[in-house]
């Protein structure tokens, strides 16, 4: 009998924790280091992949995602070892997607060619803005010319290239964003990730905002207008939204992120990496220690310091709903019911349909474009008990 995770597939996430500089809006587990022992990291990743394989057994591996941090700072030999170890530990799908994140300042043609030779077949680039003043405000160390040069290299080396932009930035108008987005779409290969600037506590922007120092952020109405403009502009250029912040040509959707959103299993290795792993019929949430030094010491000696918590069926159902409703295709009501001891109340669903926020189509519920703007509100209503 198929286990629930097989609805989403299985992937491997590998976290590289180092960056050249820490961006003020970033709340990811990233660190700046003067010196990195690349050989030791290579051995540790290889050992940890083997350890996880012994723990969960054979699987069909649908994707590998090397994120960070800035993985384009990794040695190509390290990336090659990670890919070889993973595709030896698990059977790779015929169409396996292998993504590496890159920042423009760390892109070199020879380095990208070496990543491709190692097996990387998709690159996700953190461009974030297409003008120098806003890149400076965002604390990025690259400029517009660096971004365009790096993108041209990526497009020459890889068939699949995605890049990120941040909008709803300080002092940004709707018209300026539409112009920037149109330029980005004229460049784009097959995928764009478009995120509204979020001020997270514990970041430099969070501290500055708390002191009243982060001026010019858009209000809710302007942010909503920018979101609507983003959906319409991308759709008009053949890049419809398939997830609340992601747009792609049909068939070019991120397969790895799709595992998260469709609530599959994924092994997370590296400092601070999260995972969801089903073992002997029980699904576990895993979290690796955030400290690069602690993780490296443990992995190098064959030990695990990760936390592992068994998830109840209700927790699994709620997580499946929280992740799946980010997709414009929505979630299966019967799948939720198979996990949850407390099925969805159809009166709540129909109320949200009447409000124009949900679509109910046989076994599937999905947010409308208007619903995507108030997704947290929808989820609170659906999951309230």
């Amino acid at each position: 009998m198929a286990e629930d995770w097989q609805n989403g597939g299985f992937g491997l996430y590998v976290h590289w924790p180092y960056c050249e500089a820490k961006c003020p809006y970033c709340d990811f587990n990233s660190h700046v280091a003067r010196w990195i022992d690349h050989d030791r990291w290579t051995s540790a990743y290889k050992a940890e992949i083997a350890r996880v394989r012994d723990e969960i057994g054979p699987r069909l591996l649908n994707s590998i995602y090397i994120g960070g941090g800035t993985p384009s700072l990794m040695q190509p030999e390290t990336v090659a070892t990670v890919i070889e170890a993973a595709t030896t530990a698990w059977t790779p799908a015929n169409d396996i997607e292998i993504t590496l994140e890159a920042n423009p300042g760390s892109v070199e043609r020879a380095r990208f060619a070496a990543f491709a030779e190692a097996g990387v077949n998709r690159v996700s680039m953190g461009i974030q803005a297409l003008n120098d003043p806003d890149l400076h405000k965002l604390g990025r160390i690259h400029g517009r010319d660096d971004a365009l040069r790096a993108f041209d290299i990526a497009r020459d080396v890889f068939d699949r290239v995605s890049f990120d932009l941040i909008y709803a930035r300080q002092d940004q108008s709707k018209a300026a964003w539409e112009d920037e987005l149109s330029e980005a779409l004229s460049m784009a290969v097959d995928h764009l990730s478009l995120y509204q600037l979020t001020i997270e506590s514990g970041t430099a922007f969070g501290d500055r905002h708390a002191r009243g120092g982060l001026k010019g952020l858009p209000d809710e109405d302007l942010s909503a207008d920018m979101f609507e403009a983003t959906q319409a502009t991308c759709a008009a250029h053949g890049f419809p939204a398939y997830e609340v912040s992601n747009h792609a040509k049909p068939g070019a959707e991120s397969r790895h992120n799709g595992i998260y959103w469709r609530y599959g299993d994924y092994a997370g290795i590296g400092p601070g990496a999260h995972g969801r792993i089903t073992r002997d019929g029980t699904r576990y949430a895993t979290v690796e220690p955030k400290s690069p030094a602690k993780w490296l010491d443990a992995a190098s000696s064959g030990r695990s310091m990760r936390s592992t918590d068994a998830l109840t069926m209700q927790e699994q159902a709620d997580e499946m709903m929280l992740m799946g409703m980010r997709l414009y295709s929505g979630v299966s009501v019967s799948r939720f019911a198979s996990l949850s001891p407390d099925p969805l109340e159809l009166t709540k669903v129909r109320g949200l349909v009447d409000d124009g926020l949900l679509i109910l189509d046989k076994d599937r519920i999905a947010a409308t474009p208007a619903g995507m703007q108030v997704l947290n509100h929808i989820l609170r209503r659906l999951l309230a008990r």
Side-chain angles (χ1 to χ4, degrees):
M1 184 175 179
E3 294 183 306
D4 177 77
W5 67 268
Q6 291 173 300
N7 287 290
F10 171 65
L12 172 68
Y13 174 77
V14 178
H15 190 77
W16 174 258
Y18 297 114
C19 284
E20 290 181 296
K22 183 76 173 179
C23 296
Y25 57 84
C26 177
D27 68 338
F28 295 154
N29 186 35
S30 59
H31 306 264
V32 177
R34 291 185 178 180
W35 182 78
I36 299 167
D37 188 340
H38 288 274
D39 289 343
R40 192 171 181 222
W41 278 93
T42 302
S43 297
Y45 283 135
K46 182 177 181 180
E48 183 66 1
I49 289 169
R51 193 191 65 76
V52 174
R53 166 59 174 81
D54 289 343
E55 177 186 351
I56 67 173
R59 297 277 181 102
L60 178 67
L61 181 64
N62 300 109
S63 69
I64 302 170
Y65 193 101
I66 305 173
T70 306
S72 48
L73 295 173
M74 297 171 74
Q75 296 294 335
E77 295 80 7
T78 302
V79 173
T81 297
V82 166
I83 294 170
E84 182 180 8
T87 54
T88 299
W90 299 288
T91 302
N94 291 334
D95 60 349
I96 186 171
E97 176 188 89
I98 304 176
T99 302
L100 181 132
E101 290 183 344
N103 279 341
S106 59
V107 171
E108 301 170 2
R109 185 175 296 275
R111 196 177 193 84
F112 262 26
F115 289 144
E117 186 176 351
V120 174
N121 55 26
R122 181 176 182 270
V123 165
S124 178
M125 301 188 65
I127 290 179
Q128 313 309 4
L130 290 174
N131 66 77
D132 287 337
D134 281 6
L135 286 167
H136 179 72
K137 288 179 183 177
L138 290 171
R140 304 295 287 176
I141 61 175
H142 70 268
R144 171 187 164 87
D145 289 346
D146 298 321
L148 297 181
R149 180 186 63 83
F151 175 77
D152 285 342
I153 293 172
R155 184 173 53 185
D156 288 345
V157 174
F158 298 98
D159 292 332
R160 300 187 64 197
V161 180
S162 176
F163 63 90
D164 300 354
L165 292 177
I166 295 173
Y167 67 102
R169 307 188 298 256
Q170 290 175 272
D171 302 314
Q172 186 181 39
S173 68
K174 176 172 172 281
W177 168 236
E178 288 175 319
D179 288 344
E180 184 175 0
L181 180 56
S182 294
E183 180 183 8
L185 286 160
S186 72
M187 298 163 45
V189 175
D190 63 5
H191 192 284
L192 285 174
S193 296
L194 306 170
Y195 303 106
Q196 290 201 19
L197 178 62
T198 302
I199 309 304
E200 303 285 359
S201 61
T203 65
F205 269 10
D207 294 342
R208 196 180 308 169
H209 188 258
R211 298 193 303 268
L214 204 62
K215 304 296 185 182
L217 294 174
D219 59 23
E220 287 187 9
D221 288 341
L222 179 54
S223 293
D225 288 344
M226 286 182 167
F227 179 84
E228 290 179 356
T230 300
Q231 313 311 298
T233 303
C234 288
H237 284 76
F239 283 73
Y242 69 97
E243 189 267 348
V244 66
S245 298
N246 285 274
H247 305 254
K249 291 181 178 178
E253 299 84 359
S254 169
R255 296 173 200 161
H256 184 84
N257 288 338
I259 292 172
Y260 301 154
W261 297 322
R262 292 184 175 86
Y263 204 48
D265 266 11
Y266 52 98
I269 71 168
H274 290 243
R276 292 292 183 274
I277 291 297
T278 303
R279 189 174 68 244
D280 298 327
T282 300
R283 193 178 226 135
Y284 296 88
T286 67
V287 184
E288 298 287 343
K290 295 184 73 172
S291 164
K294 289 183 179 178
W295 185 88
L296 185 60
D297 285 344
S300 297
S301 61
R303 296 181 292 110
S304 173
M305 293 182 64
R306 75 182 186 190
S307 65
T308 303
D309 296 312
L311 297 169
T312 67
M313 296 301 288
Q314 190 63 65
E315 287 171 331
Q316 293 181 55
D318 290 351
E319 285 191 343
M320 188 273 287
M321 181 67 72
L322 289 167
M323 298 303 293
M325 286 299 293
R326 297 180 61 89
L327 292 167
Y328 276 83
S329 58
V331 302
S332 162
V333 175
S334 60
R335 184 183 176 196
F336 182 89
S338 72
L339 291 171
S340 175
D342 189 9
L344 288 175
E345 294 180 23
L346 287 181
T347 53
K348 292 180 182 178
V349 173
R350 293 193 180 105
L352 289 163
V353 171
D354 292 341
D355 291 342
L357 302 178
L358 273 190
I359 297 168
L360 173 60
D361 182 16
K362 297 179 182 177
D363 183 50
R364 189 158 292 275
I365 58 172
T368 63
M372 279 296 184
Q373 295 202 52
V374 291
L375 192 55
N376 288 339
H377 165 72
I378 291 173
L379 290 167
R380 281 194 296 269
R381 284 179 61 175
L382 287 176
L383 300 178
R385 295 181 180 87

